[in-house]
Amino acid sequence: MTTLRTPGPTLGVVGGGQLGRMLAEAASPLGVEVVVLDPTPDCPAAPVARDQIVADFDDEAGIRELAARADVLTFEIELADQDVLERVSEDSGTPVHPKPSTLRTIHDKLVQKRELEDAGVPVPPFREVEGADDIRDAIDDYGAPVMLKARTGGYDGRGNVPVESKADAEDALESVAGPAMVESFVDFEREVSVIAVKGDDEVATFPLGENVHVDEILRETIVPARSSEAAAERAYDVARDVLEVMDGRGVYGIELFETPDGEILLNEIAPRPHNSGHWTIEGAQSSQFEQHTRAVLGWPLGSTELRSPTVLTNLLGDVDEEQRAELGDIDRLLETPGANLHWYGKRQVRPLRKMGHVTVSAEDEDADVEALLETARELEDAVTFRN
Protein backbone atom coordinates (compact mmCIF):
# COMPACT_ATOMS: atom_id res chain seq x y z
CA MET A 1 0.00 0.00 0.00
CA THR A 2 1.52 3.32 -1.11
CA THR A 3 1.19 6.17 1.40
CA LEU A 4 1.88 9.84 0.72
CA ARG A 5 2.72 12.44 3.35
CA THR A 6 4.38 15.85 3.52
CA PRO A 7 7.24 16.14 2.97
CA GLY A 8 7.07 13.37 0.43
CA PRO A 9 9.84 11.07 -0.77
CA THR A 10 12.99 12.59 -2.25
CA LEU A 11 14.42 11.46 -5.56
CA GLY A 12 18.17 12.03 -5.95
CA VAL A 13 19.13 12.51 -9.59
CA VAL A 14 22.65 12.36 -10.97
CA GLY A 15 22.49 14.96 -13.74
CA GLY A 16 20.63 18.23 -13.88
CA GLY A 17 20.13 18.87 -17.59
CA GLN A 18 16.83 19.11 -19.43
CA LEU A 19 15.88 15.55 -18.47
CA GLY A 20 16.37 16.37 -14.79
CA ARG A 21 14.36 19.55 -15.28
CA MET A 22 11.39 17.73 -16.80
CA LEU A 23 11.70 14.94 -14.23
CA ALA A 24 11.40 17.49 -11.41
CA GLU A 25 8.42 19.12 -13.14
CA ALA A 26 6.66 15.74 -13.31
CA ALA A 27 7.59 14.69 -9.77
CA SER A 28 6.21 17.78 -8.07
CA PRO A 29 2.46 17.08 -8.57
CA LEU A 30 3.04 13.62 -7.08
CA GLY A 31 4.44 15.18 -3.90
CA VAL A 32 7.94 13.96 -4.73
CA GLU A 33 10.89 16.27 -4.13
CA VAL A 34 13.94 16.18 -6.38
CA VAL A 35 17.56 16.98 -5.57
CA VAL A 36 19.96 16.97 -8.52
CA LEU A 37 23.74 16.64 -8.73
CA ASP A 38 25.39 18.44 -11.62
CA PRO A 39 28.76 20.17 -12.16
CA THR A 40 27.19 23.24 -13.79
CA PRO A 41 26.06 25.82 -11.22
CA ASP A 42 22.41 26.79 -11.69
CA CYS A 43 21.95 23.90 -14.12
CA PRO A 44 18.74 23.62 -16.18
CA ALA A 45 17.03 21.51 -13.49
CA ALA A 46 17.92 23.86 -10.63
CA PRO A 47 14.95 26.27 -10.96
CA VAL A 48 12.41 23.45 -10.57
CA ALA A 49 14.27 21.01 -8.29
CA ARG A 50 14.29 21.34 -4.49
CA ASP A 51 18.08 21.73 -4.48
CA GLN A 52 21.26 21.18 -6.47
CA ILE A 53 24.54 19.68 -5.33
CA VAL A 54 27.31 21.13 -7.48
CA ALA A 55 29.67 18.24 -8.18
CA ASP A 56 30.95 16.14 -11.06
CA PHE A 57 28.88 13.14 -12.13
CA ASP A 58 31.51 10.77 -10.70
CA ASP A 59 32.27 12.77 -7.54
CA GLU A 60 31.93 10.20 -4.76
CA ALA A 61 31.62 12.72 -1.93
CA GLY A 62 28.87 14.56 -3.83
CA ILE A 63 26.99 11.34 -4.59
CA ARG A 64 27.25 10.31 -0.94
CA GLU A 65 25.66 13.62 0.03
CA LEU A 66 22.95 13.03 -2.58
CA ALA A 67 22.28 9.53 -1.22
CA ALA A 68 22.03 10.87 2.34
CA ARG A 69 19.28 13.27 1.24
CA ALA A 70 17.32 10.86 -0.98
CA ASP A 71 15.06 7.86 -0.62
CA VAL A 72 16.19 6.52 -4.00
CA LEU A 73 18.85 7.47 -6.54
CA THR A 74 18.52 7.59 -10.30
CA PHE A 75 20.39 9.23 -13.17
CA GLU A 76 19.51 11.24 -16.25
CA ILE A 77 22.88 10.93 -17.98
CA GLU A 78 25.05 7.91 -18.74
CA LEU A 79 28.14 9.78 -17.54
CA ALA A 80 27.13 8.72 -14.03
CA ASP A 81 29.77 6.34 -12.64
CA GLN A 82 28.30 2.89 -12.05
CA ASP A 83 31.07 1.82 -9.65
CA VAL A 84 30.61 4.90 -7.46
CA LEU A 85 26.83 4.50 -7.48
CA GLU A 86 27.13 0.84 -6.54
CA ARG A 87 29.56 1.55 -3.71
CA VAL A 88 27.52 4.44 -2.33
CA SER A 89 24.30 2.45 -2.50
CA GLU A 90 25.83 -0.47 -0.63
CA ASP A 91 27.25 1.80 2.08
CA SER A 92 24.23 4.07 2.50
CA GLY A 93 21.41 1.64 1.89
CA THR A 94 19.89 4.06 -0.64
CA PRO A 95 18.75 2.04 -3.67
CA VAL A 96 19.66 3.00 -7.23
CA HIS A 97 17.29 2.48 -10.16
CA PRO A 98 17.99 1.44 -12.83
CA LYS A 99 20.68 -0.68 -11.19
CA PRO A 100 24.37 0.22 -11.60
CA SER A 101 24.82 -3.16 -13.29
CA THR A 102 22.53 -1.96 -16.09
CA LEU A 103 24.54 1.24 -16.43
CA ARG A 104 27.69 -0.91 -16.63
CA THR A 105 26.17 -2.87 -19.52
CA ILE A 106 24.97 0.26 -21.32
CA HIS A 107 28.26 2.13 -20.92
CA ASP A 108 30.07 -0.18 -23.33
CA LYS A 109 28.20 -0.62 -26.61
CA LEU A 110 30.08 -3.82 -27.42
CA VAL A 111 29.18 -5.39 -24.06
CA GLN A 112 25.60 -4.18 -24.55
CA LYS A 113 25.28 -5.75 -28.00
CA ARG A 114 26.83 -9.04 -26.88
CA GLU A 115 24.49 -9.39 -23.90
CA LEU A 116 21.45 -8.55 -25.98
CA GLU A 117 22.43 -10.90 -28.80
CA ASP A 118 22.99 -13.68 -26.26
CA ALA A 119 19.47 -13.02 -24.96
CA GLY A 120 18.00 -13.42 -28.44
CA VAL A 121 17.36 -9.73 -29.12
CA PRO A 122 17.77 -9.04 -32.86
CA VAL A 123 20.76 -6.76 -33.52
CA PRO A 124 22.67 -5.82 -36.69
CA PRO A 125 25.85 -7.85 -37.34
CA PHE A 126 28.73 -6.36 -35.33
CA ARG A 127 32.27 -7.05 -34.19
CA GLU A 128 34.97 -5.66 -31.94
CA VAL A 129 37.54 -3.34 -33.51
CA GLU A 130 41.13 -3.61 -32.38
CA GLY A 131 42.63 -2.08 -35.53
CA ALA A 132 41.81 -0.75 -38.97
CA ASP A 133 41.98 -4.27 -40.44
CA ASP A 134 38.89 -5.21 -38.42
CA ILE A 135 36.98 -2.42 -40.16
CA ARG A 136 38.21 -3.59 -43.55
CA ASP A 137 37.18 -7.16 -42.71
CA ALA A 138 33.74 -5.91 -41.71
CA ILE A 139 33.39 -4.18 -45.08
CA ASP A 140 34.29 -7.48 -46.76
CA ASP A 141 31.68 -9.32 -44.71
CA TYR A 142 28.89 -6.75 -44.39
CA GLY A 143 29.44 -4.56 -47.43
CA ALA A 144 30.08 -0.83 -47.49
CA PRO A 145 29.34 1.42 -45.78
CA VAL A 146 29.70 0.22 -42.19
CA MET A 147 29.11 2.16 -38.98
CA LEU A 148 32.08 2.59 -36.66
CA LYS A 149 31.05 3.37 -33.08
CA ALA A 150 32.95 4.45 -30.00
CA ARG A 151 32.28 1.83 -27.37
CA THR A 152 31.96 4.39 -24.60
CA GLY A 153 30.98 8.03 -24.18
CA GLY A 154 28.96 8.58 -27.35
CA TYR A 155 25.46 10.05 -27.40
CA ASP A 156 23.40 12.16 -29.80
CA GLY A 157 25.44 10.67 -32.62
CA ARG A 158 28.79 11.57 -31.10
CA GLY A 159 31.28 8.78 -31.65
CA ASN A 160 29.42 7.31 -34.65
CA VAL A 161 31.39 7.43 -37.91
CA PRO A 162 30.14 5.99 -41.22
CA VAL A 163 33.00 4.30 -43.09
CA GLU A 164 32.38 4.35 -46.83
CA SER A 165 35.42 2.37 -48.00
CA LYS A 166 38.44 0.44 -46.80
CA ALA A 167 40.62 3.45 -47.60
CA ASP A 168 38.76 5.42 -44.92
CA ALA A 169 39.34 2.88 -42.14
CA GLU A 170 42.46 4.44 -40.60
CA ASP A 171 41.07 7.97 -40.49
CA ALA A 172 37.74 6.78 -39.09
CA LEU A 173 39.40 4.83 -36.30
CA GLU A 174 41.61 7.79 -35.46
CA SER A 175 38.54 10.06 -35.21
CA VAL A 176 36.91 7.73 -32.67
CA ALA A 177 40.09 7.92 -30.56
CA GLY A 178 39.39 4.99 -28.28
CA PRO A 179 37.92 1.49 -28.04
CA ALA A 180 35.53 0.86 -30.90
CA MET A 181 33.13 -1.57 -32.51
CA VAL A 182 31.75 -1.78 -36.02
CA GLU A 183 28.26 -2.67 -37.24
CA SER A 184 26.74 -3.37 -40.59
CA PHE A 185 24.93 -0.36 -42.01
CA VAL A 186 21.19 -1.01 -41.76
CA ASP A 187 19.11 -0.13 -44.81
CA PHE A 188 16.07 0.89 -42.77
CA GLU A 189 12.60 1.99 -43.77
CA ARG A 190 12.38 4.17 -40.69
CA GLU A 191 13.88 4.61 -37.25
CA VAL A 192 11.48 4.02 -34.39
CA SER A 193 11.62 3.90 -30.63
CA VAL A 194 9.71 2.37 -27.78
CA ILE A 195 9.67 4.22 -24.48
CA ALA A 196 9.31 1.30 -22.09
CA VAL A 197 8.82 1.32 -18.33
CA LYS A 198 9.96 -1.36 -15.92
CA GLY A 199 8.07 -1.09 -12.66
CA ASP A 200 7.73 -3.25 -9.59
CA ASP A 201 6.55 -6.50 -11.20
CA GLU A 202 4.90 -4.67 -14.10
CA VAL A 203 5.93 -3.42 -17.52
CA ALA A 204 4.37 -0.75 -19.72
CA THR A 205 5.13 0.65 -23.18
CA PHE A 206 4.15 3.93 -24.79
CA PRO A 207 2.86 3.99 -28.38
CA LEU A 208 5.57 3.52 -31.00
CA GLY A 209 7.31 6.71 -32.11
CA GLU A 210 8.91 7.34 -35.49
CA ASN A 211 12.15 9.31 -35.35
CA VAL A 212 13.80 11.53 -37.92
CA HIS A 213 17.55 12.09 -37.45
CA VAL A 214 19.82 14.46 -39.35
CA ASP A 215 23.57 14.18 -38.80
CA GLU A 216 22.85 11.56 -36.12
CA ILE A 217 20.85 14.08 -34.02
CA LEU A 218 17.14 13.60 -33.37
CA ARG A 219 15.10 16.29 -35.10
CA GLU A 220 11.50 14.97 -34.97
CA THR A 221 9.37 12.26 -33.40
CA ILE A 222 5.99 11.33 -34.92
CA VAL A 223 3.40 9.44 -32.86
CA PRO A 224 1.90 7.13 -33.80
CA ALA A 225 4.67 5.90 -36.07
CA ARG A 226 3.77 5.34 -39.71
CA SER A 227 4.46 1.62 -39.32
CA SER A 228 2.28 -1.37 -40.01
CA GLU A 229 0.46 -2.92 -37.09
CA ALA A 230 2.61 -6.04 -37.41
CA ALA A 231 5.86 -4.04 -37.32
CA ALA A 232 4.65 -2.08 -34.29
CA GLU A 233 3.78 -5.27 -32.41
CA ARG A 234 7.19 -6.68 -33.27
CA ALA A 235 8.81 -3.52 -31.89
CA TYR A 236 6.91 -3.89 -28.61
CA ASP A 237 8.00 -7.54 -28.39
CA VAL A 238 11.64 -6.58 -28.90
CA ALA A 239 11.33 -3.83 -26.28
CA ARG A 240 9.94 -6.26 -23.72
CA ASP A 241 12.78 -8.67 -24.48
CA VAL A 242 15.25 -5.83 -23.89
CA LEU A 243 13.69 -5.10 -20.50
CA GLU A 244 14.29 -8.70 -19.51
CA VAL A 245 18.03 -8.04 -19.86
CA MET A 246 17.97 -4.72 -17.99
CA ASP A 247 18.20 -4.76 -14.20
CA GLY A 248 16.27 -2.21 -12.17
CA ARG A 249 13.16 -0.09 -12.38
CA GLY A 250 12.71 2.98 -14.54
CA VAL A 251 12.12 4.25 -18.06
CA TYR A 252 14.20 2.91 -20.94
CA GLY A 253 14.46 4.58 -24.34
CA ILE A 254 14.82 1.72 -26.83
CA GLU A 255 15.86 2.84 -30.32
CA LEU A 256 15.10 0.45 -33.17
CA PHE A 257 15.46 0.07 -36.92
CA GLU A 258 12.47 -1.00 -39.00
CA THR A 259 13.61 -2.58 -42.27
CA PRO A 260 11.65 -2.46 -45.55
CA ASP A 261 10.37 -6.00 -44.94
CA GLY A 262 9.10 -5.13 -41.45
CA GLU A 263 11.96 -6.66 -39.50
CA ILE A 264 12.90 -4.90 -36.24
CA LEU A 265 16.53 -4.58 -35.17
CA LEU A 266 17.85 -3.00 -31.98
CA ASN A 267 19.92 0.14 -32.40
CA GLU A 268 20.70 1.49 -28.92
CA ILE A 269 19.28 1.72 -25.39
CA ALA A 270 19.16 4.64 -22.97
CA PRO A 271 18.44 3.56 -19.36
CA ARG A 272 16.57 6.80 -18.63
CA PRO A 273 13.91 9.05 -20.14
CA HIS A 274 14.74 9.74 -23.77
CA ASN A 275 14.45 12.66 -26.19
CA SER A 276 12.10 10.62 -28.39
CA GLY A 277 9.73 10.32 -25.42
CA HIS A 278 9.28 14.03 -24.71
CA TRP A 279 6.05 13.96 -26.76
CA THR A 280 4.44 12.03 -23.89
CA ILE A 281 4.12 15.20 -21.78
CA GLU A 282 1.22 16.37 -23.93
CA GLY A 283 0.49 13.31 -26.05
CA ALA A 284 0.01 10.51 -23.50
CA GLN A 285 -2.09 9.96 -20.39
CA SER A 286 1.07 10.15 -18.27
CA SER A 287 4.52 11.34 -19.33
CA GLN A 288 7.71 9.31 -19.42
CA PHE A 289 8.99 11.51 -16.59
CA GLU A 290 6.03 10.77 -14.34
CA GLN A 291 6.43 7.08 -15.15
CA HIS A 292 10.13 7.17 -14.32
CA THR A 293 9.34 8.79 -10.98
CA ARG A 294 6.69 6.20 -10.19
CA ALA A 295 8.87 3.30 -11.31
CA VAL A 296 12.05 4.13 -9.40
CA LEU A 297 10.01 4.70 -6.22
CA GLY A 298 8.29 1.35 -6.67
CA TRP A 299 4.86 2.96 -7.08
CA PRO A 300 2.16 1.61 -9.43
CA LEU A 301 2.65 2.79 -13.00
CA GLY A 302 0.22 5.14 -14.74
CA SER A 303 -1.49 4.78 -18.09
CA THR A 304 0.70 5.02 -21.19
CA GLU A 305 -2.27 5.34 -23.56
CA LEU A 306 -2.17 7.92 -26.35
CA ARG A 307 -4.22 11.07 -25.80
CA SER A 308 -3.98 12.15 -29.42
CA PRO A 309 -1.49 12.02 -32.31
CA THR A 310 1.49 14.24 -31.50
CA VAL A 311 4.61 15.44 -33.28
CA LEU A 312 7.74 16.66 -31.52
CA THR A 313 10.42 18.83 -33.07
CA ASN A 314 13.65 19.74 -31.31
CA LEU A 315 14.82 23.34 -31.08
CA LEU A 316 18.51 23.12 -31.93
CA GLY A 317 21.11 25.85 -31.96
CA ASP A 318 21.10 27.37 -35.45
CA VAL A 319 24.19 29.49 -34.76
CA ASP A 320 27.74 29.22 -36.07
CA GLU A 321 29.46 29.70 -32.72
CA GLU A 322 28.60 29.79 -29.03
CA GLN A 323 26.62 32.81 -27.87
CA ARG A 324 24.05 33.88 -25.30
CA ALA A 325 20.79 31.95 -25.75
CA GLU A 326 17.96 34.15 -27.01
CA LEU A 327 15.17 32.52 -29.00
CA GLY A 328 13.39 35.09 -31.14
CA ASP A 329 10.11 35.22 -33.04
CA ILE A 330 8.20 32.85 -30.77
CA ASP A 331 4.82 34.60 -31.06
CA ARG A 332 3.40 32.33 -33.73
CA LEU A 333 4.47 29.29 -31.76
CA LEU A 334 2.73 30.58 -28.65
CA GLU A 335 -0.44 31.46 -30.57
CA THR A 336 -0.86 28.14 -32.43
CA PRO A 337 -3.57 25.87 -30.98
CA GLY A 338 -2.20 22.51 -29.88
CA ALA A 339 1.41 23.70 -29.87
CA ASN A 340 3.46 23.56 -26.66
CA LEU A 341 6.89 25.09 -26.08
CA HIS A 342 9.42 23.54 -23.71
CA TRP A 343 12.44 25.72 -22.91
CA TYR A 344 15.40 23.99 -21.24
CA GLY A 345 16.87 27.03 -19.53
CA LYS A 346 20.37 26.77 -21.00
CA ARG A 347 22.14 30.11 -20.90
CA GLN A 348 24.42 29.51 -23.89
CA VAL A 349 23.54 28.23 -27.34
CA ARG A 350 26.01 26.30 -29.49
CA PRO A 351 25.67 24.83 -32.97
CA LEU A 352 23.08 22.01 -32.88
CA ARG A 353 22.78 22.12 -29.09
CA LYS A 354 19.38 20.96 -27.83
CA MET A 355 17.81 24.09 -26.36
CA GLY A 356 14.17 23.08 -26.14
CA HIS A 357 11.41 21.33 -28.02
CA VAL A 358 7.95 21.90 -29.40
CA THR A 359 5.06 19.47 -29.49
CA VAL A 360 1.99 19.79 -31.69
CA SER A 361 -0.95 17.65 -30.61
CA ALA A 362 -4.16 16.98 -32.49
CA GLU A 363 -7.66 17.56 -31.16
CA ASP A 364 -8.81 13.99 -31.90
CA GLU A 365 -7.30 10.55 -32.30
CA ASP A 366 -8.05 10.32 -36.05
CA ALA A 367 -5.99 13.40 -36.97
CA ASP A 368 -3.56 13.28 -39.88
CA VAL A 369 0.03 13.11 -38.58
CA GLU A 370 1.29 14.52 -41.87
CA ALA A 371 -0.55 17.77 -41.19
CA LEU A 372 0.80 17.86 -37.64
CA LEU A 373 4.31 17.31 -38.94
CA GLU A 374 3.96 20.14 -41.43
CA THR A 375 2.76 22.49 -38.67
CA ALA A 376 5.60 21.49 -36.36
CA ARG A 377 8.17 22.12 -39.06
CA GLU A 378 6.70 25.50 -39.88
CA LEU A 379 6.81 26.52 -36.22
CA GLU A 380 10.40 25.33 -35.82
CA ASP A 381 11.45 27.17 -38.98
CA ALA A 382 9.87 30.40 -37.72
CA VAL A 383 12.08 30.73 -34.63
CA THR A 384 15.81 31.39 -34.46
CA PHE A 385 18.72 31.95 -32.09
CA ARG A 386 20.44 34.23 -34.58
CA ASN A 387 20.45 37.88 -33.64
Side-chain angles (χ1 to χ4, degrees), residues 274-354:
H274 191 261
N275 190 174
S276 67
H278 295 351
W279 68 269
T280 60
I281 298 173
E282 283 81 34
Q285 295 290 338
S286 61
S287 75
Q288 64 168 342
F289 300 101
E290 179 181 338
Q291 294 283 44
H292 190 72
T293 301
R294 289 170 177 250
V296 298
L297 289 171
W299 290 3
L301 302 181
S303 170
T304 55
E305 292 297 314
L306 185 71
R307 287 184 187 272
S308 65
T310 299
V311 169
L312 169 143
T313 183
N314 276 329
L315 297 176
L316 305 179
D318 59 348
V319 296
D320 296 324
E321 58 186 23
E322 184 170 338
Q323 63 185 52
R324 180 176 174 81
E326 295 181 358
L327 183 63
D329 303 322
I330 66 172
D331 299 78
R332 181 182 174 189
L333 196 163
L334 295 174
E335 293 167 354
T336 299
N340 292 274
L341 170 64
H342 292 262
W343 179 250
Y344 298 159
K346 298 176 181 179
R347 298 181 185 276
Q348 296 294 117
V349 59
R350 297 191 292 269
L352 298 181
R353 189 183 195 192
K354 292 178 180 176

Side-chain angles (χ1 to χ4, degrees), residues 122-169:
V123 298
F126 68 93
R127 66 180 57 182
E128 183 176 4
V129 171
E130 295 181 341
D133 283 343
D134 293 312
I135 303 173
R136 298 185 186 102
D137 289 344
I139 289 175
D140 283 337
D141 293 342
Y142 308 151
V146 295
M147 182 64 77
L148 183 68
K149 294 185 175 184
R151 287 173 54 179
T152 60
Y155 67 97
D156 278 350
R158 297 172 179 86
N160 290 354
V161 182
V163 185
E164 300 289 342
S165 70
K166 293 181 181 181
D168 299 327

Side-chain angles (χ1 to χ4, degrees), residues 186-361:
V186 178
D187 180 22
F188 56 83
E189 180 73 16
R190 60 180 56 87
E191 294 180 275
V192 296
S193 60
V194 176
I195 305 301
V197 196
K198 191 169 187 177
D200 191 9
D201 295 325
E202 59 177 326
V203 167
T205 55
F206 285 93
L208 187 67
E210 177 179 347
N211 302 321
V212 178
H213 292 83
V214 179
D215 296 329
E216 303 289 328
I217 297 175
L218 181 67
R219 305 302 175 99
E220 299 160 344
T221 297
I222 304 152
V223 184
R226 294 168 292 189
S227 301
S228 68
E229 184 175 339
E233 285 302 320
R234 179 61 182 144
Y236 298 136
D237 289 342
V238 171
R240 294 185 185 98
D241 289 343
V242 168
L243 290 187
E244 290 292 325
V245 181
M246 301 294 105
D247 190 14
R249 302 189 300 268
V251 162
Y252 294 82
I254 301 170
E255 296 182 271
L256 306 162
F257 296 118
E258 179 188 335
T259 66
D261 61 1
E263 184 182 5
I264 298 294
L265 298 173
L266 178 73
N267 182 11
E268 293 182 356
I269 305 165
R272 52 166 174 76
H274 191 261
N275 190 174
S276 67
H278 295 351
W279 68 269
T280 60
I281 298 173
E282 283 81 34
Q285 295 290 338
S286 61
S287 75
Q288 64 168 342
F289 300 101
E290 179 181 338
Q291 294 283 44
H292 190 72
T293 301
R294 289 170 177 250
V296 298
L297 289 171
W299 290 3
L301 302 181
S303 170
T304 55
E305 292 297 314
L306 185 71
R307 287 184 187 272
S308 65
T310 299
V311 169
L312 169 143
T313 183
N314 276 329
L315 297 176
L316 305 179
D318 59 348
V319 296
D320 296 324
E321 58 186 23
E322 184 170 338
Q323 63 185 52
R324 180 176 174 81
E326 295 181 358
L327 183 63
D329 303 322
I330 66 172
D331 299 78
R332 181 182 174 189
L333 196 163
L334 295 174
E335 293 167 354
T336 299
N340 292 274
L341 170 64
H342 292 262
W343 179 250
Y344 298 159
K346 298 176 181 179
R347 298 181 185 276
Q348 296 294 117
V349 59
R350 297 191 292 269
L352 298 181
R353 189 183 195 192
K354 292 178 180 176
M355 302 299 295
H357 72 264
V358 174
T359 58
V360 181
S361 296

Side-chain angles (χ1 to χ4, degrees), residues 62-85:
I63 293 174
R64 287 187 181 278
E65 179 184 350
L66 186 66
R69 299 177 61 180
D71 295 283
V72 62
L73 296 176
T74 190
F75 45 87
E76 59 102 71
I77 188 167
E78 284 91 327
L79 295 177
D81 188 297
Q82 65 268 16
D83 295 326
V84 172
L85 284 171

